[in-house]
């Protein structure tokens, strides 16, 4: 069952990311969906911070991927906005990331069939007020089990 | 001294020959825009392949236009980062191969250093000066004290200004590249029609932020509830452009005051990078420089956007100091000019 909750402002987004971050393990794929400005980079940044990453977490739109050497696994933060052919993702070493790292992927639909089925989907949408977002978490059966640990309604 | 420069760090493939007397003997840029336009952005894999296809021919053309041969050159300079790793590998590898084959020194140039030193090529600006570098991938304020001596006063905590232009243009359906598209549309628009946020204005320091502005444009466009009319597009484009320009000017003013505290009054403000092509931004920065009592330099457009002449020039400046790089130097997707810069509060920097 997808979990849907409202995030009233940026600090609520940070709180959710901080709750989620300790669940992440090597090989995990988190697909961040949402239109321009929905807060995908913000969410990814909050996860990286929660895992002890550096203060500076740049938007990877320009470089496509930024990597962080963190525990329990390295984090690869992808922004596939500028990718047009899924195959081009091979050039970024995305398979290495799937095998050994925690992959946070913005614009995951650009991957087409290359997007692993075993993943957590995070959908971010605009809410009623300017800073509000509605987040929906869903995923493979294994992820559904893990999400229960979050204790979200 | 004659230098061949190679630039492939983003969507421009470029080669140039520059001499030690600040003369650009040739500068050829094969804009890959036609390759990219259908995709609404620079496509990295397309970029790497296009660089590979174009680069050798461009180097040959740069030498032909300069009526020079490899034997006349004193050094090879190639962008070795930061940028899209595929393109950077193509350019730096060709540069190293040419240097090895011709027994010439190789200079691995930081793309940002190319921009930072470009006003010395165009206008012989003496050190120190304050540089506002605004492009699709970078947005920072740097005190340029000398070759290899840069201090970052501010950087973006989220998106670069050029990235914001591209994304706002996409949201408004104005096409790619976003900078010229927004500027064109803004001409017929009312910049006061949409009260968009003016990011960071009034805050101390010189960091930038454009992510919230991008979101505000998205909200404003969605609020229209249908495809915007030409006038609505124009008004939003004008409001967006005004917000970016005034935010950049506010951050730059703080940096100019810090610069004056550290280096004394009466120096130079330089703007470089693709966003420096924006007429409104030039106007706002020119006014600011006049108010603050400093000289304002915007190098010619061909030197502001990505080009290889600035890379060749950075090679010359470094070679004059006796520098040279080994052929084992690795391409770097990230390569800050000021490695000691304190991290921007809470978020990210582009380089």
């Amino acid at each position: 069952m997808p979990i849907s909750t409202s995030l009233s402002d940026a600090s609520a987004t940070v709180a959710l990311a901080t709750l989620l971050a300790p669940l992440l393990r090597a090989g995990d794929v988190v697909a961040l969906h949402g239109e321009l400005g929905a807060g995908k980079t913000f969410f990814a940044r909050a996860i990286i911070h929660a895992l002890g990453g550096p203060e500076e977490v740049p938007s990877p739109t320009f470089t496509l991927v930024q990597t962080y050497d963190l525990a329990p696994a390295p984090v690869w933060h992808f922004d596939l906005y500028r990718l047009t052919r899924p195959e081009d993702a091979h050039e970024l070493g995305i398979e290495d990331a799937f095998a050994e790292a925690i992959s946070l992927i913005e614009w995951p639909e650009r991957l087409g069939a290359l997007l692993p089925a075993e993943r957590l989907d995070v959908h971010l949408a605009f809410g009623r007020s300017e800073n509000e977002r509605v987040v929906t978490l869903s995923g493979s059966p294994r992820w559904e089990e893990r999400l229960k640990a979050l204790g979200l309604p | 001294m004659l230098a061949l420069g190679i630039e492939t760090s983003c969507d421009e493939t470029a080669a140039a020959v520059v001499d030690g007397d600040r003369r650009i003997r040739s500068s050829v840029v094969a804009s890959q825009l036609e390759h990219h336009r259908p995709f609404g952005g620079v496509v990295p894999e397309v970029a790497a392949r296009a660089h590979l296809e174009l680069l050798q021919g461009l180097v040959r053309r740069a030498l032909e236009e300069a009526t020079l041969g490899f034997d006349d050159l004193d050094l090879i300079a190639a962008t070795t980062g930061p940028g899209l790793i595929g393109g950077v590998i193509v350019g730096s590898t060709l540069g190293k191969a040419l240097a090895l084959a011709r027994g010439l020194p190789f200079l691995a140039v930081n793309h940002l250093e190319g921009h930072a030193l470009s006003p010395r090529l165009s206008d012989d600006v003496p050190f120190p000066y304050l540089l506002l570098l605004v492009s699709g991938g970078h947005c920072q304020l740097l005190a340029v004290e000398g070759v290899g001596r840069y201090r970052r006063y501010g950087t973006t905590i989220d998106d670069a200004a050029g990235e914001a232009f591209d994304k706002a243009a996409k949201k408004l359906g104005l096409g790619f590249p976003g900078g010229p598209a927004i500027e064109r549309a803004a001409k017929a628009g009312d910049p006061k029609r949409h009260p968009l946020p003016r990011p960071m204005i009034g805050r101390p320091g010189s960091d930038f932020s454009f992510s919230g502005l991008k979101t505000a444009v998205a909200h404003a466009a969605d609020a229209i509830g249908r495809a915007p009319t030409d006038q609505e597009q124009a008004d939003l484009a004008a409001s967006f452009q005004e917000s970016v320009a005034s935010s950049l000017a506010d951050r730059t003013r703080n940096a100019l005051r810090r610069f004056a505290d550290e280096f004394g009054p009466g120096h130079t403000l330089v703007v470089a990078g693709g966003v420096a092509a924006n007429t409104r931004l030039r106007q706002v920065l020119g006014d600011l420089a006049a108010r603050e009592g400093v000289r304002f330099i915007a190098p010619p457009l061909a030197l502001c956007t990505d080009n290889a002449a600035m890379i060749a020039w950075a090679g010359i400046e470094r070679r004059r100091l006796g520098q040279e790089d080994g052929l084992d130097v690795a391409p770097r997707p990230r390569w800050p000019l000021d490695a000691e810069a304190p991290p921007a509060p809470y978020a990210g920097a582009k380089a």
Side-chain angles (χ1 to χ4, degrees):
Chain A
M1 277 293 284
I3 300 170
S4 199
T5 184
S6 160
L7 303 165
S8 55
D9 57 18
S11 67
T13 305
V14 171
L16 177 65
T18 307
L19 212 56
L20 188 63
L23 299 184
L24 297 173
R25 297 287 174 267
D28 281 352
V29 174
V30 180
L32 296 159
H33 307 261
E35 60 177 297
L36 273 181
K40 300 178 294 297
T41 306
F42 189 89
F43 194 86
R45 186 177 287 139
I47 288 182
I48 290 163
H49 285 165
L51 292 173
E55 278 186 79
E56 291 197 8
V57 175
S59 152
T61 303
F62 177 61
T63 50
L64 278 120
V65 57
Q66 298 281 350
T67 60
Y68 301 88
D69 203 6
L70 304 176
V75 173
W76 289 42
H77 179 197
F78 294 92
D79 181 340
L80 305 180
Y81 181 66
R82 307 195 291 147
L83 210 66
T84 45
R85 298 186 313 153
E87 310 86 88
D88 291 344
H90 292 306
E91 303 288 323
L92 303 174
I94 204 161
E95 286 148 324
D96 294 341
F98 290 161
E100 294 155 16
I102 296 165
S103 303
L104 309 177
I105 308 178
E106 301 184 39
W107 302 97
E109 59 277 14
R110 299 283 207 272
L111 278 179
L114 292 179
L115 184 65
E118 183 60 48
R119 66 174 190 269
L120 172 66
D121 285 303
V122 178
H123 287 265
L124 288 157
F126 292 117
R128 280 155 303 178
S129 72
E130 192 168 322
N131 292 321
E132 188 191 349
R133 297 290 184 275
V134 177
V135 63
T136 307
L137 304 174
S138 57
S140 53
R142 246 185 56 205
W143 260 110
E144 302 255 317
E145 279 305 304
R146 293 162 79 184
L147 285 177
K148 284 182 189 158
L150 288 181
L152 288 171
Chain B
M1 194 182 285
L2 279 164
L4 171 70
I6 293 170
E7 159 62 38
T8 53
S9 68
C10 193
D11 56 343
E12 312 285 2
T13 317
V17 179
V18 173
D19 70 26
D21 295 321
R22 301 177 31 242
R23 279 179 304 211
I24 299 173
R25 301 291 191 91
S26 65
S27 181
V28 287
V29 178
S31 176
Q32 299 177 342
L33 268 190
E34 288 311 312
H35 289 256
H36 294 310
R37 205 186 299 274
F39 309 122
V42 177
V43 184
E45 173 55 8
V46 173
R49 282 190 199 155
H51 287 310
L52 197 57
E53 284 165 18
L54 293 168
L55 189 55
Q56 290 199 49
L58 278 181
V59 166
R60 209 171 293 126
R61 236 180 81 195
L63 287 169
E64 276 168 20
E65 286 189 14
T67 57
L68 294 165
F70 283 111
D71 293 338
D72 301 307
L73 296 174
D74 297 293
L75 67 98
I76 310 275
T79 301
T80 308
L84 302 183
I85 193 66
V88 171
I89 290 172
V90 169
S92 60
T93 305
L94 181 65
K96 289 176 190 176
L98 290 174
L100 182 65
R102 295 285 163 170
L104 291 170
F106 173 70
L107 278 296
V109 172
N110 181 316
H111 174 82
L112 299 170
E113 182 163 46
H115 280 299
L117 297 177
S118 63
R120 292 170 56 77
L121 170 60
S122 64
D123 295 87
D124 206 12
V125 178
F127 296 122
Y129 50 89
L130 182 73
L131 174 77
L132 170 64
L133 175 59
V134 272
S135 67
H138 309 284
C139 191
Q140 39 189 289
L141 277 156
L142 290 162
V144 182
E145 297 176 58
V147 176
R149 289 166 54 213
Y150 310 97
R151 268 193 304 135
R152 197 178 79 184
Y153 278 8
T155 187
T156 178
I157 62 169
D158 41 55
D159 298 351
E163 181 181 342
F165 268 100
D166 280 340
K167 288 183 174 173
K170 177 136 183 159
K171 187 72 203 177
L172 297 177
L174 289 170
F176 179 82
I182 295 257
E183 184 167 5
R184 219 176 299 121
K187 281 200 180 108
D190 172 6
K192 298 204 174 81
R193 169 88 183 278
H194 295 275
L196 294 172
R198 305 260 165 120
M200 307 296 270
I201 284 191
R203 289 210 218 171
S206 295
D207 286 327
F208 306 93
S209 167
F210 295 105
S211 180
L213 178 59
K214 166 190 75 188
T215 304
V217 169
H219 277 305
D222 290 344
I224 294 171
R226 51 175 163 72
T229 64
D230 286 357
Q231 190 57 47
E232 285 165 341
Q233 269 185 340
D235 290 342
L236 260 173
S239 303
F240 170 80
Q241 176 175 269
E242 200 58 29
S243 277
V244 173
S246 59
S247 177
L248 288 170
D250 176 87
R251 315 317 291 159
T252 305
R253 187 197 58 219
N254 288 359
L256 276 173
R257 292 188 178 166
R258 176 175 165 190
F259 190 87
D261 283 345
E262 293 180 18
F263 299 97
H267 287 286
T268 306
L269 168 67
V270 179
V271 62
V275 181
N278 185 281
T279 312
R280 180 63 187 142
L281 177 61
R282 285 184 181 226
Q283 206 173 29
V284 165
L285 291 175
D287 293 347
L288 170 70
R291 279 200 305 276
E292 299 291 319
V294 299
R295 191 174 158 215
F296 175 58
I297 300 256
L301 214 50
L303 269 182
C304 273
T305 52
D306 288 353
N307 67 89
M310 68 178 189
I311 303 303
W313 176 252
I316 288 173
E317 293 246 37
R318 289 189 50 210
R319 187 66 192 148
R320 278 179 176 158
L321 300 175
Q323 298 178 11
E324 178 177 355
D325 291 299
L327 296 182
D328 56 350
V329 61
R332 298 171 64 174
R334 293 190 79 192
W335 186 0
L337 268 188
D338 177 1
E340 257 103 74
Y346 109 86
K350 280 289 160 178

